[in-house]
């Protein structure tokens, strides 16, 4: 896949496994990859291409800094393909605290929201969801429970993670897909 859905040559050559991930439009995708292999880069490209086409996305990251970094990657992808975006930042107050939400909006109506992952930030979105480095999220099972009604409404779910043992929801999903 030398060109993406835009027909343009990528600014950065993707590996074959990244190309597969970006091209995959299936409803559910779970990726267990080693550290620093480009999983977040490919996921943010996938979300950006979807948002260019009008899709809503929420990317939940393990922390505030990861959330901001993923939205910056989405903005970089949008610039690389010549897509206009409007970047926004707002505070989201929940019972569990206050969080900064980073958001990109596209002329198509698509949007990408980046939030630090916790059960409160996982609720209430009508959007496709990307769980970035899910094995590092605190309260994985509570997050899964909170967001599952969202994806049951027909939205897509992307889960990527690096193995961090067997005592977490990421491992359960990978092992037997019991979460689906």
């Amino acid at each position: 896949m030398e060109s993406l859905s835009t027909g343009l040559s990528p600014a950065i050559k993707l590996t074959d496994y990244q190309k597969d991930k970006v091209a995959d439009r299936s409803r559910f995708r779970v990726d267990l990859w080693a550290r620093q292999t480009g999983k977040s880069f490919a996921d943010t490209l996938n979300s950006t291409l979807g948002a260019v086409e009008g899709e809503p996305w929420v990317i939940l990251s393990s922390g505030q800094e990861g959330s901001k970094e993923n939205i910056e990657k989405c903005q970089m992808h949008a610039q690389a393909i010549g897509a206009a975006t409007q970047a926004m930042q707002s505070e989201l107050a929940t019972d569990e605290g206050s969080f900064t939400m980073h958001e990109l909006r596209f002329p198509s109506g698509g949007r990408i929201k980046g939030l630090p992952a916790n059960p409160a930030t996982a609720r209430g979105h009508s959007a496709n969801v990307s769980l970035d480095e899910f094995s590092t999220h605190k309260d994985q099972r509570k997050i899964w429970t909170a967001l599952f009604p969202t994806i049951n409404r027909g939205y897509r779910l992307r889960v990527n993670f690096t193995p961090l043992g067997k005592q977490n929801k990421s491992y359960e999903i990978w092992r037997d897909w019991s979460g689906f």
Side-chain angles (χ1 to χ4, degrees):
M1 179 167 139
E2 282 302 306
S3 63
L4 302 173
S5 65
T6 61
L8 301 173
S9 292
I12 297 174
K13 297 272 188 206
L14 301 175
T15 63
D16 287 340
Y17 57 86
Q18 286 174 313
K19 291 175 192 176
D20 175 57
K21 184 180 185 95
V22 172
D24 186 344
R25 305 287 289 181
S26 60
R27 185 145 177 242
F28 300 110
R29 181 165 175 128
V30 178
D31 289 302
L32 180 139
W33 290 8
R35 290 186 66 241
Q36 297 299 313
T37 54
K39 60 189 164 297
S40 298
F41 185 87
D43 264 352
T44 55
L45 178 55
N46 185 286
S47 299
T48 301
L49 292 173
V52 165
E53 296 172 359
E55 295 177 356
W57 279 90
V58 172
I59 300 173
L60 296 177
S61 304
S62 62
Q64 191 67 63
E65 190 58 35
S67 171
K68 181 181 176 188
E69 186 175 314
N70 278 328
I71 292 299
E72 288 171 351
K73 286 176 187 173
C74 291
Q75 194 164 27
M76 176 195 65
H77 294 313
Q79 289 172 346
I81 63 173
T85 61
Q86 177 186 11
M88 304 175 73
Q89 181 177 312
S90 58
E91 292 301 311
L92 176 66
T94 70
D95 291 341
E96 297 178 20
S98 180
F99 305 94
T100 301
M101 177 173 67
H102 301 276
E103 183 175 0
L104 287 181
R105 292 186 179 180
F106 294 78
S108 63
R111 67 186 187 280
I112 305 170
K113 294 179 180 181
L115 288 161
N118 67 54
T121 60
R123 286 186 198 94
H125 303 285
S126 295
N128 300 300
V129 177
S130 175
L131 297 173
D132 183 55
E133 285 291 1
F134 189 49
S135 59
T136 64
H137 294 197
K138 293 178 184 170
D139 297 324
Q140 289 177 31
R141 286 178 178 83
K142 290 180 182 177
I143 290 168
W144 187 259
T145 300
L147 74 81
F148 206 74
T150 299
I151 58 171
N152 271 341
R153 299 177 65 95
Y155 293 104
R156 290 189 285 148
L157 173 67
R158 300 283 185 251
V159 181
N160 79 53
F161 64 99
T162 300
L164 289 178
K166 296 181 177 182
Q167 303 302 314
N168 57 58
K169 186 65 179 175
S170 300
Y171 178 76
E172 290 173 17
I173 293 167
W174 181 256
R175 183 191 67 220
D176 61 14
W177 299 78
S178 64
F180 294 101

